Amino acid sequence: MFNPIDWLLGLFSLDIGIDLGTANTLVYVRGKGIVLNEPSWVAIDKRIPHTPLAIGAEAKAMVGKTPGYIVAIRPLRDGVISEYDITKDMLEYFIRKAHQQVFIPFPRPRVVIGVPSGVTEVEMRAVREAALEAGAREAYLIEEPIAAAIGAGLPVTEARGSMVIDIGGGTTEVGVFALGGIVVSKSLRIAGDELDEDIVQYARQKYNLAISERMAERIKINIGSAYPLPEEMTMGMRGRNLITGLPEEIEVSSIEIREAISRTIEILVNLVRDSLDETPPELISDLMETGICLAGGGGQIKGLAERVAEETHIHTWVADDSLTCVAKGAGQVLENFEFMKQTLAVDDYQNPGGSAA
């Protein structure tokens, strides 16, 4: 139903694409590009329920450093909402912050949000309703693999096939595309968080050292690898000795960390191989020319492209600024909304019940 107030507010509002990730949330504003990239963390004071104390980077800085009555949490797990009210507050905060950055006073945007391809109808409905309650006038959902492919510049609307591996914090998405549609799609709720946990467990089992998830994440980013490096590296790993109870720092090498994360990397590689096994031969021929694109924060792991290329016999490359691919893809749908709506069948991946443009 036409609402003149919403129409008037829409003239003074934004169209935004959101990559609502387990680890980070990125916001793309139509005509402006990426305007926000903040951790998906919220700090709550348990004495004042339903009132976030801090959101984003400020909340993540509190992790492990708060008194007992303050908790810092991630309201999304494995790419889906685990804390609905907190996610709504976080979305509202990011939407308002995006509007403030471009001096728009009325935060009533049309929103396209990337969601994992394996989510259920209930999970999709939760994302859409959270966006609407957070202030969006219209909310559309797009599967993360196709958003990542669009953001990476792959020719998803053409007849030739293309393939993307999007590795986030909570999910890994593999998609093969042709003619604007997903031909093969695989989603696994194993990604960057599991790599961090592998490092935490390795430190505990080999060195009797308890380290934080943030320490494990820094190690993963700095020296983690999926393939032997031209020059191996080392880094100090700080934590608490489980035997003495005292602080301790251990020097670990990239070889050790590669061993620590090898099981999870093997799972991800097998997911890619399974996807290729289901891909039609004609598209396999195309992929041997166009290659496989790695996107997402996990796609930046050193040597992962080389490992995938060795296992699949297909050239593999990392997208430029791979962390922003999903947000850029969601934003580009908004930049050419009517064209994308027809070509990519927006109504097919929009959550049922969503408003039409």
Side-chain angles (χ1 to χ4, degrees), residues 80-153:
V80 297
I81 293 175
S82 59
E83 300 283 349
Y84 179 84
D85 289 334
I86 298 175
T87 301
K88 177 180 68 67
D89 291 336
M90 185 177 72
L91 269 174
E92 183 176 5
Y93 169 82
F94 288 138
I95 288 172
R96 288 188 177 277
K97 193 169 181 179
H99 279 72
Q100 290 168 4
Q101 292 208 9
V102 291
F103 308 107
I104 300 292
F106 305 109
R108 291 282 290 162
R110 175 165 58 186
V111 175
V112 172
I113 302 177
V115 294
S117 59
V119 299
T120 64
E121 290 291 328
V122 172
E123 290 167 339
M124 286 196 297
R125 190 176 302 115
V127 174
R128 178 182 173 272
E129 289 178 356
L132 292 174
E133 287 192 37
R137 72 181 189 275
E138 297 175 21
Y140 297 87
L141 306 184
I142 181 172
E143 293 183 355
E144 287 179 354
I146 198 163
I150 294 169

Side-chain angles (χ1 to χ4, degrees), residues 192-205 209 211-213 215-221 223-224 237 252 256-258 260-261:
D193 288 349
E194 277 65 31
L195 296 173
D196 296 341
E197 182 59 28
D198 288 344
I199 296 171
V200 169
Q201 292 301 321
Y202 184 85
R204 179 179 291 270
Q205 292 168 9
L209 192 69
I211 66 171
S212 68
E213 290 183 4
M215 181 80 252
E217 183 183 30
R218 286 198 294 270
I219 291 170
K220 176 188 69 178
I221 292 171
I223 65 172
M237 181 168 64
V252 291
E256 292 179 280
I257 302 305
R258 188 160 59 247
I261 65 177

Side-chain angles (χ1 to χ4, degrees), residues 49-350:
H50 313 301
T51 305
L53 188 65
I55 298 175
E58 186 180 351
K60 185 176 181 180
M62 297 181 180
V63 176
K65 303 176 182 180
T66 59
Y69 56 86
I70 295 176
V71 291
I73 63 173
R74 290 195 297 182
L76 294 106
R77 285 287 174 185
D78 300 328
V80 297
I81 293 175
S82 59
E83 300 283 349
Y84 179 84
D85 289 334
I86 298 175
T87 301
K88 177 180 68 67
D89 291 336
M90 185 177 72
L91 269 174
E92 183 176 5
Y93 169 82
F94 288 138
I95 288 172
R96 288 188 177 277
K97 193 169 181 179
H99 279 72
Q100 290 168 4
Q101 292 208 9
V102 291
F103 308 107
I104 300 292
F106 305 109
R108 291 282 290 162
R110 175 165 58 186
V111 175
V112 172
I113 302 177
V115 294
S117 59
V119 299
T120 64
E121 290 291 328
V122 172
E123 290 167 339
M124 286 196 297
R125 190 176 302 115
V127 174
R128 178 182 173 272
E129 289 178 356
L132 292 174
E133 287 192 37
R137 72 181 189 275
E138 297 175 21
Y140 297 87
L141 306 184
I142 181 172
E143 293 183 355
E144 287 179 354
I146 198 163
I150 294 169
L154 298 184
V156 296
T157 60
E158 297 181 11
R160 59 186 174 129
S162 54
M163 182 174 183
V164 70
I165 307 167
D166 177 31
I167 307 174
T171 58
T172 296
E173 310 277 337
V174 179
V176 179
F177 315 95
L179 294 172
I182 300 178
V183 180
V184 177
S185 177
K186 295 280 187 181
S187 181
L188 190 65
R189 296 188 179 186
I190 293 178
D193 288 349
E194 277 65 31
L195 296 173
D196 296 341
E197 182 59 28
D198 288 344
I199 296 171
V200 169
Q201 292 301 321
Y202 184 85
R204 179 179 291 270
Q205 292 168 9
K206 183 169 182 178
Y207 293 111
N208 290 312
L209 192 69
I211 66 171
S212 68
E213 290 183 4
R214 292 186 68 185
M215 181 80 252
E217 183 183 30
R218 286 198 294 270
I219 291 170
K220 176 188 69 178
I221 292 171
N222 289 319
I223 65 172
S225 67
Y227 197 78
L229 301 175
E231 186 175 339
E232 302 292 353
M233 300 176 289
T234 61
M235 180 178 172
M237 181 168 64
R238 298 174 182 173
R240 175 173 52 84
N241 188 295
L242 292 170
I243 297 174
T244 67
L246 299 175
E248 186 175 357
E249 180 173 349
I250 301 289
E251 192 84 2
V252 291
S253 70
S254 53
I255 298 173
E256 292 179 280
I257 302 305
R258 188 160 59 247
E259 177 189 344
I261 65 177
S262 60
R263 183 188 63 86
T264 299
I265 292 294
E266 185 67 27
I267 292 172
L268 301 184
V269 170
N270 286 338
L271 181 69
V272 178
R273 296 177 64 148
D274 290 344
S275 301
L276 289 171
D277 189 48
E278 296 181 15
T279 302
E282 282 298 322
L283 292 182
I284 289 288
S285 177
D286 291 341
L287 296 180
M288 293 180 74
E289 293 183 12
T290 60
I292 299 172
C293 174
L294 287 175
Q300 298 175 342
I301 294 173
K302 296 176 180 65
L304 183 58
E306 290 84 351
R307 174 70 182 275
V308 173
E310 182 179 87
E311 295 278 353
T312 63
H313 302 160
I314 297 176
H315 168 64
T316 305
W317 48 282
V318 182
D320 294 336
D321 200 7
S322 62
L323 184 64
T324 67
C325 284
V326 172
K328 284 180 177 177
Q332 287 177 35
V333 168
L334 289 166
E335 298 282 0
N336 304 280
F337 192 74
E338 291 305 321
F339 170 75
M340 290 294 188
K341 184 178 179 182
Q342 295 177 3
T343 307
L344 300 177
V346 167
D347 289 334
D348 288 344
Y349 64 72
Q350 180 191 350

